[in-house]
Amino acid sequence: MIGRSIGSRIFDGFNYTFLGLMAFVTIVPFIYIVSVSFAEPEEVLRRGFILFPTSFSLEGYKYIFSTGTILQSLWITVGITIAGTLINLLFTALLAYPLSRQDFSGRNLFMMLVVFTMLFNGGILPTFLVVKALGLLNTYWALLIPNAISAFNLIVVVSFFRQLPEGLEEAAKIDGCNDFGLLFRIVLPLSAPVLATFALFYAVGHWNTFFNAILYINDADMWPIQVWLRQIVILSQGGIGDSTQFDHNYIAPPSQIIKMAVIVISTVPILLVYPFLQKHFAKGVLLGSVKG
């Protein structure tokens, strides 16, 4: 700090102020959502914008959990997220490893096909017809198989695998390790940062999915949490929807409280996963920036 110029101190002060304002602007919506979800209905109707409620209430959460369907759908979403993330990582690694090998003939052709899928796709109707032809309708496989591999994530993983030291693989081959042994015992343990990063991306995608569930899942008992929470918001606004799962004797709180409670329920669980992946995530976002 000694010997720093006035201009440098002013610049640092500007940075701190700017970053503080940006952090404030970012966190205010979250505070508002949580505050409204726990506020009394009368206070929400009276004040509108609430950052710190004067009284607390659980009316919104009582309405949402007035049926066991929500807890069931929550566990369904957890299962889909875990299974889908594992499938994504496994399929991505199995395809990325051969594409990263210099001795794999035809890898340029396969990479062109992967890039092609990033630019062009069949669309909703052809994809639906394929899922139907495979007999996956009204099964959870319809939510897991069609999106098993992300082309963008695959390309990044291929780039990461190519940066791994070739000497490690050569030493493993001398010890009698085959290709699967190289992948699962050498490559994947060294790829923890990239795998953790994309595990978070895949998990968030599965947790937030509702459009594919609406398309492919006809049985309401199989719906994930996002579809049911969407249903609750529609019902709270007086829209058309299936209200047979909810207690009609229960007076619903204002729709604003229900919306915010829905956001909290659908956001908090996946946020709790981030601290466990944070140490790997910081490394994973820097993939390809430094090579050596």
Side-chain angles (χ1 to χ4, degrees):
M1 299 295 293
I2 300 177
R4 296 182 59 194
S5 63
I6 297 178
S8 178
R9 295 178 181 178
I10 294 176
F11 180 75
D12 288 344
F14 173 80
N15 284 338
Y16 292 143
T17 303
F18 177 76
L19 293 175
L21 290 175
M22 292 298 296
F24 177 77
V25 172
T26 302
I27 199 173
V28 161
F30 289 98
I31 297 176
Y32 170 72
I33 291 171
V34 175
S35 298
V36 173
S37 69
F38 286 103
E40 288 282 355
E42 295 78 9
E43 185 176 4
V44 173
L45 295 175
R46 184 179 70 254
R47 295 177 57 186
F49 185 81
I50 299 174
L51 284 182
F52 302 101
T54 57
S55 58
F56 292 89
S57 172
L58 297 176
E59 293 299 318
Y61 296 96
K62 289 180 181 179
Y63 175 77
I64 294 175
F65 289 105
S66 62
T67 172
T69 303
I70 298 301
L71 288 176
Q72 177 184 343
S73 63
L74 184 61
W75 284 113
I76 290 174
T77 302
V78 171
I80 291 174
T81 301
I82 295 175
T85 302
L86 292 176
I87 291 174
N88 291 141
L89 294 178
L90 178 62
F91 280 32
T92 300
L94 289 176
L95 182 55
Y97 180 63
L99 293 178
S100 66
R101 299 286 296 270
Q102 296 290 339
D103 56 349
F104 178 65
S105 59
R107 65 190 184 102
N108 292 331
L109 174 61
F110 284 104
M111 283 299 298
M112 289 178 57
L113 295 176
V114 170
V115 174
F116 182 83
T117 62
M118 296 178 62
L119 305 176
F120 305 96
N121 62 75
I124 297 176
L125 184 57
T127 303
F128 178 84
L129 295 177
V130 171
V131 172
K132 181 179 179 181
L134 294 175
L136 301 179
L137 286 181
N138 211 36
T139 67
Y140 294 125
W141 292 112
L143 306 180
L144 304 177
I145 300 301
N147 298 317
I149 298 177
S150 167
F152 175 81
N153 295 348
L154 174 68
I155 294 174
V156 176
V157 175
V158 169
S159 177
F160 184 86
F161 284 174
R162 288 176 180 174
Q163 297 181 18
L164 296 178
E166 297 181 1
L168 292 176
E169 296 187 10
E170 295 175 357
K173 288 182 178 179
I174 294 175
D175 291 337
C177 196
N178 56 23
D179 288 333
F180 282 101
L182 283 172
L183 175 61
F184 289 102
R185 299 176 62 181
I186 304 298
V187 176
L188 294 186
L190 294 175
S191 306
V194 65
L195 295 179
T197 300
F198 290 119
L200 181 62
F201 292 161
Y202 282 130
V204 171
H206 285 294
W207 183 269
N208 292 329
T209 184
F210 74 94
F211 185 71
N212 287 343
I214 294 175
L215 287 178
Y216 305 135
I217 305 297
N218 300 321
D219 188 357
D221 293 333
M222 299 175 62
W223 281 351
I225 186 69
Q226 301 296 345
V227 178
W228 271 115
L229 296 183
R230 171 183 175 272
Q231 190 81 355
I232 292 173
V233 173
I234 294 176
L235 292 174
S236 69
Q237 294 177 333
I240 300 175
D242 182 12
S243 62
T244 59
Q245 300 287 341
F246 300 96
D247 187 356
H248 293 282
N249 296 322
Y250 187 86
I251 300 177
S255 61
Q256 190 72 0
I257 293 180
I258 297 177
K259 290 179 184 178
M260 299 309 165
V262 164
I263 295 174
V264 172
I265 294 174
S266 60
T267 303
V268 170
I270 197 65
L271 286 178
L272 297 178
V273 178
Y274 178 77
F276 298 98
L277 301 177
Q278 183 178 7
K279 63 179 181 179
H280 298 297
F281 184 81
K283 299 177 182 178
V285 295
L286 298 177
L287 293 177
S289 61
V290 178
K291 184 177 180 180

